Amino acid sequence: ATTAEGASTARAKASAKREVKDEPPPTSPVPGLSVEALVAISNEDLWQRAWAETWQKSDVAGLAEDEKAVYARAQKVWRGWMAERDRIARERADAEGRRRAEQTQRRGAAVKPEPQATALSSAPAAAPG
């Protein structure tokens, strides 16, 4: 690789890091639930929240009489929340993997093995016996 290619790659990596750092942290789409709680919640518990939220909004709007429609809306809300939860979890796992890889690279660059003399190279040869 030429010096120009290396510099170009370094600029691209620095730009990508800035883009990631400039992004706001994810927010939970679930009212009253932090991102950490969203990532940890079970599908069943998330369904209960989706149902309660959808039912309440439908009731306020005067649409709670049609339970099938409320159920269908709750399923859409639930699926959307699960998709968002899974996306956030994937992003976190990817970021953690990158962070660990960078740490490993830094440790590898900081620790350079010293040449070691072997017992055979420093001792006189023994006669076969």
Side-chain angles (χ1 to χ4, degrees):
T2 67
T3 304
E5 289 172 344
S8 175
T9 302
R11 280 192 302 271
K13 286 181 182 178
S15 175
K17 282 184 180 180
R18 276 193 305 275
E19 288 174 15
V20 170
K21 289 180 182 177
D22 291 344
E23 291 179 10
T27 57
S28 173
V30 183
L33 200 63
S34 70
V35 172
E36 289 75 20
L38 174 64
V39 171
I41 197 169
S42 71
N43 287 346
E44 184 177 332
D45 289 340
L46 196 57
W47 165 251
Q48 292 298 321
R49 285 180 169 269
W51 174 254
E53 178 77 14
T54 305
W55 183 266
Q56 182 181 11
K57 285 183 178 181
S58 297
D59 191 38
V60 168
L63 303 172
E65 297 286 323
D66 186 355
E67 191 171 329
K68 286 184 180 182
V70 175
Y71 184 83
R73 284 193 297 275
Q75 281 187 316
K76 287 181 182 180
V77 168
W78 179 56
R79 286 186 188 118
W81 289 353
M82 285 192 305
E84 183 65 9
R85 176 196 61 193
D86 295 347
R87 184 191 65 78
I88 291 169
R90 273 192 311 276
E91 285 179 359
R92 284 182 166 202
D94 290 347
E96 179 63 17
R98 285 190 302 273
R99 186 187 65 76
R100 287 185 180 182
E102 289 171 1
Q103 284 179 340
T104 300
Q105 283 180 334
R106 279 188 288 239
R107 277 191 230 124
V111 178
K112 294 187 179 184
E114 295 181 23
Q116 297 179 359
T118 64
L120 294 177
S121 64
S122 60

